[in-house]
């Protein structure tokens, strides 16, 4: 059977007898919490303000910019110690980072939706009714309480990371507090950032208007709540052609319809990429290439990233990572937990049989600004690469080239026009007066 015949039959199967899996129900307002417009407007300014970083150089938007699909266009981010934005970001020779950020910057589409139960590639912030505050985080019982949502709790961690936003030990007071383990309470890292924000008159007025807080009462939980409100509002995405397909039955073009039939049928994509956001919120070992510094404790010297295993300690979670949502996926390259593939089609092709594809991975697919670090320790070690490949349990899927093209066409139908324009957009200025992250024109 030729690829074209298979696609035609897949499309006919969808049009006639139905798919192997039901399509998700259309999304409506009930999928998201209500957002106060004042809170979202305050969060917009904080999201784009480098004031929250130790050295006042990195904003949330540095690694989550709408210009790059709410990611950063790099395989592994450069946070503190980088210059510029996106694929043009480079190491600051006057203040080079010690390492790249270990994992690809995740897109923010729909992460404020109510069905989300975990955050980060490994789910280390997750809902847990038995934990303090109803969720589990890397700080466990030491985590402060008072944030409004899991998304708000997640927002509290990047500012503590030396390679992301805090900076390194002797560079600023926030980094020093992190180094000393002073995170909570007066003089802790979160409090130091909150005091910076409270000292800016415009922010003081906005926090009074939005939350009824005096400058002395502003805590980092209030800052993170506002950012979470902005992210929930700004990066809601449910007006793509696929959404019109669900709501109104408006057909996609023929190639995308064929891809839809494969996605929810023979290709088995929806086994993991299920539900309205194309994620089961689970963790699966899918053999994606890993490079960069890995995730190790300070007393460890390896470069492995063992994924969910670092959270649970269960052998079955080795090299398992959270199923990403596919909304606006065509905008969020590179792909994979380490950003291994610059091409969506290339990632899809390798993802169908990841264990077999891993030995032939083209390292030229990685988008890595020049940096004097050892990026390839894991892929250069056959035992480590074999461990990643052997963790894959799903059987390979064989598709013809034009079937892969059809899948990619369907994935492109998940692109929302609002994603390209934004709702509140990028502010021209922020109250701190620091530069708003704006990408330079691509050459």
């Amino acid at each position: 059977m030729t690829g074209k015949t298979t696609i035609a039959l897949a499309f006919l199967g969808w049009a006639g007898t139905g798919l192997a899996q039901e399509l998700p129900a259309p999304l409506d307002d009930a999928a998201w919490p209500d957002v106060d417009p004042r809170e979202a407007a305050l969060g917009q300014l904080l999201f784009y303000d480098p004031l929250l970083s130790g050295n006042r150089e990195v904003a949330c938007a540095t690694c989550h910019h709408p210009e790059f699909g709410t990611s950063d266009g790099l395989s592994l981010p450069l946070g503190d110690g980088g210059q510029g934005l996106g694929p043009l970001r480079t190491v600051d020779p006057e203040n080079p980072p010690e390492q790249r950020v270990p994992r690809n910057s995740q897109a923010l589409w729909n992460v404020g939706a109510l069905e989300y139960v975990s955050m980060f590639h490994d789910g280390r912030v997750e809902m847990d009714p038995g934990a303090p505050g109803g969720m589990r985080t890397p700080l466990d019982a030491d985590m402060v309480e008072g944030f409004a949502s899991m998304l708000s709790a997640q927002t509290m961690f990047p500012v503590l990371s030396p390679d992301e936003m805090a900076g390194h030990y002797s560079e600023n007071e926030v980094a020093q507090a992190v180094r000393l383990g002073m995170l909570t309470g007066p003089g802790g890292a979160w409090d130091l950032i909150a005091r910076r924000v409270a000292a800016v008159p415009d922010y003081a007025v906005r926090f009074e208007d939005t939350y009824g807080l005096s400058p002395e009462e502003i805590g980092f939980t209030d800052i993170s709540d506002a950012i979470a409100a902005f992210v929930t509002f700004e990066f809601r995405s449910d007006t793509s052609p696929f959404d019109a397909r669900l709501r109104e039955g408006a057909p996609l073009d023929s190639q995308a319809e064929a891809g839809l039939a494969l996605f929810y049928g023979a290709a088995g994509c929806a086994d993991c990429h299920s539900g309205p956001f194309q994620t089961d919120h689970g963790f699966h070992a899918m053999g994606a290439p890993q490079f960069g510094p890995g995730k190790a404790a300070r007393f460890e010297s390896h470069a492995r990233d063992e994924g969910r295993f670092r959270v649970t300690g269960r052998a079955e979670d080795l090299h398992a990572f959270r199923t990403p949502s596919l909304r606006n996926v065509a905008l969020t390259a590179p792909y994979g937990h380490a950003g291994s593939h610059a091409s969506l089609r290339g990632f899809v092709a390798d993802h169908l049989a990841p264990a077999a594809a891993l030995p032939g991975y083209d390292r030229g697919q990685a988008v890595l600004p020049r940096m004097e670090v050892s990026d390839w320790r894991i892929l250069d070690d056959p035992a480590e690469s074999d461990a990643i490949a052997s963790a894959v349990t799903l059987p390979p899927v064989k598709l013809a080239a034009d079937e892969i093209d059809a899948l990619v066409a369907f994935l492109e139908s998940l692109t929302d026009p609002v994603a390209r324009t934004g709702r509140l957009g990028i502010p021209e200025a922020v109250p701190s007066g620091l530069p708003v992250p704006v990408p330079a024109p691509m050459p």
Side-chain angles (χ1 to χ4, degrees):
M1 182 178 293
T2 67
K4 289 183 179 179
T5 302
T6 304
I7 291 178
L9 290 176
F11 179 70
L12 288 172
W14 155 245
T17 60
L19 299 165
Q21 293 194 28
E22 292 290 331
L23 294 180
L27 288 160
D28 58 26
D29 289 345
W32 286 270
D34 292 334
V35 175
D36 183 332
R38 294 173 303 169
E39 196 173 11
L42 173 57
Q44 176 206 26
L45 298 174
L46 293 163
F47 184 86
Y48 285 95
D49 200 332
L51 184 65
L52 304 190
S53 64
N55 289 324
R56 297 174 171 85
E57 295 177 347
V58 180
C60 303
T62 302
C63 293
H64 297 285
H65 203 284
E67 183 73 18
F68 309 107
T70 69
S71 183
D72 67 348
L74 297 174
S75 294
L76 300 175
L78 288 180
D80 180 81
Q83 297 176 317
L85 288 182
L88 299 181
R89 191 163 175 80
T90 59
V91 168
D92 180 356
E94 301 300 319
N95 179 33
E98 294 181 6
Q99 268 293 358
R100 305 184 197 277
V101 177
R103 291 172 178 159
N104 182 254
S105 179
Q106 288 190 291
L108 300 180
W109 306 111
N110 296 316
V111 293
L114 295 171
E115 76 165 49
Y116 274 70
V117 294
S118 66
M119 297 281 164
F120 295 114
H121 286 283
D122 56 11
R124 61 187 181 275
V125 171
E126 61 185 329
M127 302 302 295
D128 182 351
M135 66 188 74
R136 187 167 59 79
T137 78
L139 292 179
D140 293 327
D142 293 327
M143 181 71 176
V144 298
E145 297 186 21
F147 38 80
S149 65
M150 182 181 61
L151 177 57
S152 176
Q154 179 273 333
T155 303
M156 300 185 73
F157 287 92
V159 297
L160 304 180
S161 168
D163 291 317
E164 293 183 54
M165 296 182 73
H168 293 280
Y169 306 136
S170 62
E171 293 179 341
N172 61 76
E173 75 279 12
V174 174
Q176 290 171 353
V178 172
R179 173 63 169 170
L180 295 172
M182 297 172 57
L183 307 180
T184 63
W190 285 320
D191 180 59
L192 290 171
I193 299 170
R195 304 282 63 78
R196 284 185 187 179
V197 171
V200 177
D202 190 5
Y203 278 134
V205 170
R206 289 172 183 272
F207 273 94
E208 172 70 32
D209 291 345
T210 303
Y211 297 123
L213 298 173
S214 68
E216 295 76 20
E217 294 172 313
I218 297 170
F220 195 83
T221 52
D222 306 304
I223 295 169
S224 65
D225 283 350
I227 293 172
F230 167 70
V231 169
T232 299
F233 176 78
E234 183 76 356
F235 303 129
R236 170 174 169 169
S237 182
D238 65 330
T239 56
S240 68
F242 176 69
D243 291 297
R245 181 75 178 81
L246 298 181
R247 290 191 181 107
E248 305 149 21
L252 307 175
D253 67 48
S254 59
Q255 188 181 38
E257 282 282 359
L260 180 150
L262 286 164
F263 188 95
Y264 288 97
C269 307
D271 292 345
C272 299
H273 292 284
S274 57
F277 302 117
Q278 287 77 45
T279 174
D280 62 358
H281 302 287
F283 302 87
H284 306 279
M286 293 302 299
Q290 188 246 308
F291 43 79
K295 295 286 283 187
R298 294 198 181 276
F299 59 86
E300 297 175 313
S301 60
H302 66 76
R304 292 189 297 277
D305 188 343
E306 297 167 321
R308 182 67 170 167
F309 173 79
R310 299 289 296 191
V311 176
T312 68
R314 299 183 305 212
E316 59 267 31
D317 288 331
L318 276 165
H319 305 293
F321 294 87
R322 192 176 180 280
T323 305
S325 169
L326 300 179
R327 291 307 185 112
N328 298 304
V329 67
L331 307 179
T332 63
Y335 304 100
H337 68 274
S340 53
H341 290 69
S343 157
L344 179 57
R345 191 189 189 284
F347 185 80
V348 170
D350 283 358
H351 201 57
L352 294 170
L358 186 60
Y361 168 65
D362 174 12
R363 299 183 186 189
Q365 283 282 300
V367 184
L368 297 170
R370 182 175 177 80
M371 189 174 175
E372 296 302 320
V373 292
S374 298
D375 285 316
W376 305 104
R377 290 167 59 189
I378 296 301
L379 291 183
D380 285 340
D381 186 333
E384 297 285 4
S385 294
D386 288 347
I388 294 172
S390 63
V392 178
T393 58
L394 293 178
V397 177
K398 289 190 68 174
L399 294 181
D402 46 4
E403 291 175 309
I404 296 173
D405 291 339
L407 275 178
V408 172
F410 168 66
L411 295 176
E412 290 172 345
S413 79
L414 301 174
T415 302
D416 189 335
V418 173
R420 298 186 181 277
T421 59
R423 291 182 171 88
L424 295 179
I426 302 171
E428 293 185 3
V430 290
S432 70
L434 293 167
V436 174
V438 179
M442 294 291 286

